Amino acid sequence: MNGKRPAEAGPCRGGKRGKKEVIAEFSEAVTEETLKKQVAEAWTSRTPFSHEAVVMDMEPFLHCVIPNFIRSQDFLDSLQKELLNLDFHEKYNDLYKFQQSDDLKKRKEPHISALRKLMFEDFRAWLSDVSQIDLEPTIDMSCAKYEFTDALLCHDDELEGRRIAFILYLVPSWDRSFGGTLDLYDTDEHFQPKQIVKSLIPSWNKLIFFEVSPVSFHQVSEVLSEEKSRLSISGWFHGASLTRPPIYFEPPIPRNPHIPKDHEILYDWINPTYLDMEYQAQIQEEFEESSEILLKEFLKPEKFAKVCEALEKADVEWNTRSPPNKRFYEKAEESTLPDILKECMELFRSEAMFLLLSNFTGLKLHFLAPSEDSETEDKKEGEAASTAENTEEGASQSSSEPRLPEVTITSSSQQSDGGEVESESEEKEAKKDSGVPTCQGELRHWKTGHYTLIHDNSKTEFALDLLFYCGCEGWEPEFGGFTSYIAKGEDEELLTVNPENNSLALVYRDRETLKFVKHINHRSLEQKKTFPNRTGFWDFAFVYYE
């Protein structure tokens, strides 16, 4: 490339058959040899460098900004028009929501083609010289359009062969209040992201590139402008991958068996409808059919009102759950909970609840729940003793101590939610490993900006999820905050559980099912219009293991 070509020269020159070939050129200042050497020295020595044409910083990881990357404004205007005429497709999963164009690798539009040639020939050569990385000619480039509430959450960009990521912005006049910033995270001793330490605001014709590494955690913050689109072209230069540190595994969350609370706690708390034997049988039948069920008005109204009142008083200590590449929400410190909330946590951990959930689902979550092997025998004994049982039931009803109904059990492998059924030996081994039924649970607060993500170490196993929601008045699915279940390796949703007041959601998942809570966007602030004192909602989230 001729670095001395005057900026005033037109963006086209004569080509075959008299057609004009569009030429893209990047900043003449950047190609100047003295500046190029200074940038290369800064890269090698890992020291910050600042010049009006190039700014390089090492914190929190190596990144560089070229404020005026392309020389010709006419070229940029034409490029923007070509990009906006492309077909855009919504990209949507746990990590992101935005629109992406068709692949730009083979696009024939003159200005897109010219930019592609510039990036992967001339600029790649410049970048190889500066970084001393042998960058391959591989082309990875697409156009992204972020509009109101679109975002790309915390991630590191690491994928085999990616060495340097780049973003060229073609945005209108942009302000920090519009969101859409490129946020950079620092990391802890385990190479896990901690918090945002730098935010780069998009601007017209600004190029940002950074080294892809085990610590290159970043995000595109939610776009908050309802009028402006954040248009950019991004991709990666490829080369030999950096050595990754050993994978860090978080300490496992403790699982505990039930606590000794008998059935009286159920009669104190739960809507009597759900304690009826016949209705429990209906629930189990429906659950076995679909592996999920939503039980509305689950708690007695007076108990639910007291729980909501305690949550709204906000005298609970909430701790942020992180790291942000896996989750971001608030968890209650249980020692600070008022009595009514402690009692509610005890309800979900109680022996009586384990048995009730066995009745609802057919899973063996209590030793009184018969195993599959004893099902036939139980049935025969039940038929033979039906008269005596009816007598006992009558006596029980007249007693001051009500009892829970008997349970009917189906194999856990039947609850595979569409996955393959386990072999008998695998099932027995799983049961052997699990031992006594256990659970883990927490009280969570969800508000704008919160989410959970599926990550590389997401554990998949047979488990029953329980979600009980509070404070959901005025909450809409478009706000986010719903729990989504997907098959491993797929984006398509198997099931979505939306927050709904005083509703208990039960979902059985197998080893091929993953879940996440969708990012809560700024539309959720509309809830305040109707409920001024409300910020988000709460849920009691428990997982039970046979």
Side-chain angles (χ1 to χ4, degrees), residues 148-364:
F148 182 51
T149 73
D150 288 350
L152 170 59
L153 303 175
C154 181
H155 65 291
D156 61 10
D157 261 13
E158 277 209 291
L159 199 63
E160 187 67 32
R162 290 180 180 176
R163 283 306 305 273
I164 298 173
F166 70 88
I167 312 103
L168 174 63
Y169 296 105
L170 295 173
V171 296
S173 178
W174 203 268
D175 183 82
R176 184 181 294 271
S177 65
F178 298 156
T181 54
L182 179 64
D183 298 333
L184 312 183
Y185 290 80
D186 62 356
T187 51
D188 63 18
E189 68 275 15
H190 303 297
F191 302 99
Q192 297 292 290
K194 291 197 299 183
Q195 59 188 0
I196 296 166
V197 294
K198 189 171 186 177
S199 294
L200 303 171
I201 301 171
S203 63
W204 178 263
N205 196 22
K206 176 191 285 185
L207 179 81
I208 296 175
F209 61 90
F210 59 85
E211 188 175 41
V212 176
S213 75
V215 297
S216 57
F217 287 100
H218 59 284
Q219 73 166 11
V220 176
S221 67
E222 183 183 348
V223 172
L224 305 179
S225 172
E226 297 191 51
E227 293 80 31
K228 299 188 177 187
S229 293
R230 180 191 185 275
L231 191 71
S232 64
I233 295 174
S234 59
W236 297 272
F237 294 97
H238 292 252
S241 296
L242 293 173
T243 303
R244 290 194 67 130
I247 296 173
Y248 172 67
F249 293 95
E250 296 177 286
I253 299 172
R255 300 177 183 179
N256 298 296
H258 61 65
I259 59 175
K261 292 277 183 179
D262 65 21
H263 53 259
E264 288 293 347
I265 194 171
L266 302 184
Y267 289 92
D268 288 344
W269 279 83
I270 294 175
N271 183 337
T273 303
Y274 295 112
L275 303 181
D276 178 76
M277 283 183 66
E278 291 185 2
Y279 195 48
Q280 287 178 24
Q282 292 176 29
I283 290 170
Q284 186 181 135
E285 184 178 352
E286 183 176 337
F287 184 86
E288 289 172 355
E289 181 72 25
S290 60
S291 296
E292 56 92 11
I293 197 164
L294 184 69
L295 307 178
K296 299 187 178 185
E297 304 299 326
F298 185 71
L299 294 189
K300 290 182 174 180
E302 62 273 17
K303 285 290 190 182
F304 182 69
K306 288 179 180 178
V307 168
C308 290
E309 182 183 3
L311 289 167
E312 289 171 357
K313 282 184 177 178
D315 52 358
V316 175
E317 180 183 329
W318 298 96
N319 298 320
T320 299
R321 288 273 284 131
S322 57
N325 64 322
K326 297 174 183 175
R327 64 190 72 86
F328 179 55
Y329 62 87
E330 292 178 345
K331 174 187 175 182
E333 174 54 57
E334 289 195 39
S335 62
T336 70
L337 293 180
D339 289 344
I340 188 71
L341 297 182
K342 285 181 179 177
E343 291 169 14
C344 193
M345 294 293 283
E346 288 178 355
L347 168 69
F348 293 118
R349 292 185 173 122
S350 69
E351 179 177 3
M353 178 59 78
F354 272 65
L355 183 53
L356 183 64
L357 292 175
S358 295
N359 290 7
F360 285 159
T361 64
L363 301 171
K364 189 169 177 59

Side-chain angles (χ1 to χ4, degrees), residues 252-257 321 334 345 348-349 354 438-442 459 461 463-466 509 515 540-545:
I253 299 172
R255 300 177 183 179
N256 298 296
R321 288 273 284 131
E334 289 195 39
M345 294 293 283
F348 293 118
R349 292 185 173 122
F354 272 65
T438 57
C439 79
Q440 61 191 40
E442 57 188 0
K459 190 171 184 180
E461 57 187 319
L464 176 69
D465 291 338
L466 178 152
R509 53 187 164 89
K515 62 176 177 176
F540 293 81
F542 280 78
V543 184
Y544 298 83
Y545 306 90

Side-chain angles (χ1 to χ4, degrees), residues 34-84:
T34 302
L35 179 59
K36 182 178 175 182
K37 287 180 180 178
Q38 290 173 331
V39 174
E41 288 172 3
W43 188 297
T44 303
S45 62
R46 302 284 159 154
T47 55
F49 174 78
S50 184
H51 183 279
E52 63 179 7
V54 183
V55 178
M56 183 178 290
D57 199 356
M58 303 298 149
E59 296 298 333
F61 50 84
L62 190 154
H63 61 281
C64 187
V65 179
I66 301 178
N68 297 291
F69 181 63
I70 300 292
R71 293 192 201 180
S72 169
Q73 291 301 315
D74 288 342
F75 177 90
L76 289 167
D77 290 338
S78 298
L79 174 64
Q80 183 189 45
K81 288 177 183 176
E82 289 179 3
L83 292 170
L84 291 174

Side-chain angles (χ1 to χ4, degrees), residues 105-121:
K105 185 182 295 185
K106 296 181 180 179
R107 299 299 305 189
K108 302 298 185 183
E109 290 84 352
H111 295 83
I112 293 175
S113 299
L115 179 69
R116 185 174 63 232
K117 185 175 187 299
L118 170 72
M119 295 303 294
F120 290 95
E121 292 182 16

